[in-house]
Each structure stands twice: as structure tokens, then as C-alpha cells.
Amino acid sequence: MTQRSVLIIYTGGTIGMLADPRTGALRPMDLAHLEEQVPELDRMNVRLGSESFETPIDSSDMRPADWVRIARIIGKHYEAYDGFVVLHGSDTMAYTASALSFLLQGLNKPVILTGSQLPIGTIRTDAKENLITAIEVAAACDEQGRVRVPEVAVYFEYSLYRGNRTVKVHAERFEAFRSPNYPRLAEAGVHLKYDGAATLPFRAGQLKVHDRMNDNVGVIRLFPGIRAEWVRHALSTPGLKAVVLTTFGSGNGPTDPVFISALREATERGITVVNATQCFGGRVEQGRYTTSQAFVELGVLSASDMTVEAAVTKLMFLLGQGLGAKELGAAFGTSLAGEITT
Ligand code: ASP
């Protein structure tokens, strides 16, 4: 079999950081620093290429334009490599993974995001294992030479997850990610065990790299006692096109008439409202309780079992396609890249 090839795209994050001698705070370093720390890369039977953000960033500084930048790099090198590894800060990795799953329409090759909780130069680092296994996954193919994971995934601490199903769940543990509503795509132990039934099927047609995200999207997290006038004020933000309400349990919220009329005014102005649960797992079922009945009447869209990260980036993506409210409503409820159970 011919040697497999993987392109590493370095965007920043803890994996490549060093302590600033002046303040002691961690800041991103260039790709050369990272490569120096992993001599094992030369021993892998994979042809590696690399691309890097000119100035690597902490993922808290990621913006939709950066997601498009990563998608374009993948599009530019799509034919030249068998797979892609995106090195990224863990803080907003779930958003980037979700956004890439929508931007890379028709993807049939692995795009594996990984990073680490400790910088690669530290003795107890989790970075080396994450990087080396992510490359293995990106290069992996079956006996017929077909890639194992033809989708955007996150590899972290022995688990491979569908990217748009992930949530960062811990600020310190090496096991920082989970996929509450979808099984793991692979588990790394002595062997790398893939769950072929969980991965997306191969898609027909060519890769299409989208390049527009509309960031006129907001998130309002409900809490008991939330003031209706505050909600009304937030919904009056100029330019706002869509909002994700993170609700209680299976999609419930206050029945306070002032709160409901604030939502009604927003929907009448054409703002799309989405209902996503604050719960870690499970799905929204609008109308199950009286406390979600008003959402049904207002035409609020259910995020079902999507993560908030997937819901926000999907809205940005669909608005970026210029969809009107009706088409957006229909597209939001369909699975574009396995982000929702339909
Ligand atoms: N603040 C870092 C980042 O997201 C944390 C990490 O990489 O784990 O870029």
C-alpha cells in the first residue's frame, strides 16, 4: 500500500504554548517549536505536511472568519492529502469542529481536531498521545483502502468523537470532551477500535467549501428569575437574526406573559428563535409540558439533541447561505452532517 499522507494545520492552543517569561501566562508559539518537541513524528510511516496560522491564537480568540480560514486550507490541499489534523485550543474546539462540519460539504476524508490540556513541552503532557493518535486516525484506511473516518472529528484522551456532537466538559482533566448524545467513533487502547456503524457514510459528489458565516446570532441562557425586560433588550440588538434560548430540561421556560411577549415581538420582527436544552444530555420535546407550549405556538425551532455549539454554528452557517426564515426553519431540523438525530 502507498504511504498515507496527512496535513497538520496548526492554529494555536495550549498544545503549542510556552510560558511568557515576563508574566508566566501561557501564550501560543510557532509550529517549529511544536515539531521540535515530537521527534516521534519522523518515525511514523506517514508523509506529513504542515500549514500554520501566521500568528497562532488561543482558541478563545477564534472567530467565524477563522473557521472559514481553516476550511479553505483544507479545500486547497484536499486532493493532495489523505487526511487532515487541526491543532486547536480545546476551549472552543467544539465550536470549530461543528462549524467545519457544515462548511466542508461533501467531505469524504478525515478532519481530526486535537489539542491538549498541558503544553507539549511539559513532562506530563497529554499533547503527544493526542497528536500522534490523531495523525494515525487521519491516515487510517481499511483493507480496501477506504478512509475509516470520512468526517470532522475530535480526538482527545483515547476517544474519537463526531466533532459536531462534542462539548468541552472539564477545564483540567485530560478527558476534557464528551459527546453526550452520540456514541464514540473510535476508542484508542492497545488497538484503535473504530465503530464503523457510528461514522458517517461516504457522500456523493465533490467537496464544496462554503465561506460565509453570519454572526448575527445570540445565546440567551434562561435561569429562574430571568427578567423579561432584559430578554426584550437582548432581543432588540440591532442586526440580530437568530437566537438560541438555552432552556430547562426537555425545553421548558417561564410562562411569565411579559417574557412570552418579548419572544413574540422578536419572532414578529423575523428573528429566528431556537430552543436548546441546558441539560448535558437528552433532547428538547416542545409541548411535553405546559412550560414549553408557548414555544410551539410561537414557532420556536427545536434543537432536539443538538449541542448548543452545533446549534449556534448551524444558525451562522444557514444564515450565511442567505436562507429566509421559512427555509432556515426547515434546514435547521435536518441533519447536515450528523449533528442531530432525526
Ligand atoms: N486556552 C486554551 C485554548 O483554548 C486552552 C487549551 O488549548 O486547552 O486555546
Side-chain angles (χ1 to χ4, degrees), residues 134-335:
I135 294 171
E136 271 201 40
V137 173
C141 60
D142 63 15
E143 299 71 35
Q144 284 84 46
R146 293 188 346 160
V147 304
R148 297 258 185 203
V149 186
E151 60 176 289
V152 178
V154 165
Y155 180 76
F156 229 86
E157 193 64 4
Y158 308 119
S159 291
L160 184 76
Y161 304 103
R162 172 164 300 156
N164 57 29
R165 293 287 194 154
T166 56
V167 180
K168 185 174 181 185
V169 292
H170 212 283
E172 293 171 27
R173 285 200 189 135
F174 287 160
E175 203 186 346
F177 287 87
R178 283 284 165 79
S179 164
N181 287 330
Y182 199 75
R184 279 186 289 197
L185 304 184
E187 198 186 332
V190 171
H191 303 287
L192 254 170
K193 282 198 194 132
Y194 293 92
D195 180 351
T199 45
L200 284 175
F202 282 84
R203 283 164 278 188
Q206 301 273 37
L207 175 77
K208 175 165 171 46
V209 181
H210 291 274
D211 59 3
R212 280 196 309 272
M213 296 293 267
N214 184 331
D215 62 3
N216 283 301
V217 172
V219 177
I220 297 178
R221 184 182 167 93
L222 299 184
F223 54 90
I226 189 166
R227 313 264 321 221
E229 60 272 38
W230 182 87
V231 172
R232 175 175 282 119
H233 187 77
L235 291 171
S236 309
T237 305
L240 186 71
K241 292 266 185 288
V243 73
V244 177
L245 275 189
T246 69
T247 55
F248 310 126
S250 56
N252 308 313
T255 52
D256 168 15
V258 193
F259 168 73
I260 302 299
S261 65
L263 289 183
R264 180 172 297 109
E265 287 158 26
T267 54
E268 283 168 2
R269 287 199 308 275
I271 293 175
T272 298
V273 181
V274 164
N275 181 350
T277 178
Q278 295 178 10
C279 290
F280 176 62
R283 67 188 179 94
V284 165
E285 284 179 83
Q286 293 191 139
R288 181 162 163 213
Y289 290 88
T290 9
T291 43
S292 62
Q293 196 54 50
F295 298 148
V296 179
E297 283 150 23
L298 292 179
V300 168
L301 304 178
S302 167
S304 188
D305 66 347
M306 262 187 266
T307 61
V308 172
E309 290 85 339
V312 167
T313 52
K314 191 172 182 177
L315 283 172
M316 289 185 181
F317 172 73
L318 294 174
L319 289 167
Q321 305 310 298
L323 299 192
K326 215 167 171 196
E327 299 157 287
L328 192 146
F332 189 78
T334 38
S335 167

Side-chain angles (χ1 to χ4, degrees), residues 39-52:
E40 291 89 342
L41 294 181
D42 290 339
R43 288 170 34 214
M44 294 186 82
N45 185 25
V46 178
R47 177 174 66 83
L48 295 174
S50 60
E51 283 279 326
S52 175

Side-chain angles (χ1 to χ4, degrees), residues 92-112:
T92 68
M93 187 182 286
Y95 287 90
T96 301
S98 300
L100 288 177
S101 76
F102 304 130
L103 289 168
L104 298 169
Q105 189 186 328
L107 180 74
N108 270 327
K109 292 187 177 182
V111 171
I112 314 299

Side-chain angles (χ1 to χ4, degrees), residues 7 51 70-81 84 207 209:
L7 180 69
E51 283 279 326
I70 299 168
R72 282 192 176 136
I73 295 174
I74 293 168
K76 182 169 160 209
H77 297 280
Y78 194 66
E79 296 308 329
Y81 289 91
F84 302 83
L207 175 77
V209 181

